[in-house]
């Protein structure tokens, strides 16, 4: 089975409800496993890690990025880390058979 890991960084590290609503989009996708949610208050950024088959990981990433864009107001965002958007980066890393 092909497995990839995805590690998006969302520009919200304080509001647990917003973070949960974003990660819920990942957990809704079958065969995707949410491994870690690491919010940072100083940077106001959350790093999320999840794994699964490539097509499912891409679906989960897209849904989470869409939800982040709906919930995070970048005009009011403040934090120590430079910010490019509601989702700053979304790397996909090959893990197994890919």
């Amino acid at each position: 089975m092909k497995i990839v890991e995805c590690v998006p960084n969302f520009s919200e590290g304080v509001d647990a409800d917003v973070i949960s609503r974003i990660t819920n989009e990942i957990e809704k996708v079958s065969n995707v496993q949410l491994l870690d949610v690491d919010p940072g208050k100083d940077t106001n950024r959350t790093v999320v890690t999840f794994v699964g088959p490539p097509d499912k990981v891409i679906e989960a990433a897209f849904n989470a990025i869409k939800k982040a864009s709906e919930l995070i107001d970048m005009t009011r965002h403040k934090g120590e880390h430079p910010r490019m958007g509601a989702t700053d980066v979304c790397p996909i890393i090959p893990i197994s058979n890919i």
Side-chain angles (χ1 to χ4, degrees):
M1 171 185 270
K2 292 180 180 181
I3 301 291
V4 295
E5 176 182 68
C6 187
V7 190
N9 290 219
F10 299 105
S11 294
E12 176 56 67
V14 179
D15 190 328
D17 180 59
V18 169
I19 295 166
S20 178
R21 290 173 67 187
I22 293 168
T23 58
N24 285 345
E25 294 299 313
I26 295 164
E27 293 181 300
K28 288 179 186 177
V29 179
S30 64
N31 298 319
V32 169
Q33 183 177 3
L34 182 64
L35 299 178
D36 190 48
V37 179
D38 185 17
K41 290 185 180 180
D42 291 337
T43 58
N44 197 11
R45 183 177 194 158
T46 298
V47 178
V48 177
T49 306
F50 56 99
V51 296
D55 60 333
K56 296 297 186 175
V57 165
I58 290 168
E59 177 185 347
F62 179 85
N63 293 345
I65 290 167
K66 182 176 186 294
K67 183 58 74 175
S69 73
E70 294 168 359
L71 298 175
I72 299 171
D73 180 357
M74 293 305 295
T75 64
R76 296 182 3 197
H77 189 280
K78 298 202 184 321
E80 291 182 22
H81 197 284
R83 300 164 300 280
M84 294 179 56
T87 304
D88 279 328
V89 296
C90 186
I92 296 177
I93 302 112
I95 299 295
S96 178
N97 298 319
I98 192 165

